Amino acid sequence: MDRGIKNKLKVSSPIFREFVAECLGTFILVAFGDACVAQSVLSKGEKGDFFSINWGWGLGGMLAVLICGGVS
């Protein structure tokens, strides 16, 4: 990527960076969690059960912390 583009996209405000990181982390957590619940409910339990829902929420939480943990 060109240095000029990187410099233009760089956010210097730490509060804004933390805000964006928290929003992205929350989005990842909710997207993974709700997706595994929707899969289980819409398939009437054939494609997922209690344990797959737990794994989905756990994976979503882990990815959210890994993505935004260094910023916030």
Side-chain angles (χ1 to χ4, degrees):
M1 197 181 243
D2 187 22
R3 283 187 167 261
I5 295 173
K6 280 186 179 180
N7 289 336
K8 288 180 183 177
L9 293 177
K10 188 173 182 179
V11 178
S12 60
S13 172
I15 294 173
F16 185 69
R17 286 178 53 201
E18 290 177 8
F19 173 74
V20 171
E22 290 293 328
C23 288
L24 182 62
T26 303
F27 173 76
I28 295 294
L29 174 65
V30 171
F32 271 79
D34 287 348
C36 65
V37 171
Q39 176 184 352
S40 179
V41 169
L42 294 176
S43 70
K44 296 182 176 123
E46 292 178 14
K47 304 280 186 195
D49 58 354
F50 175 75
F51 295 110
S52 66
I53 292 173
N54 288 341
W55 275 99
W57 278 102
L59 183 66
M62 181 187 70
L63 288 175
V65 168
L66 289 174
I67 288 172
C68 70
V71 177
S72 61

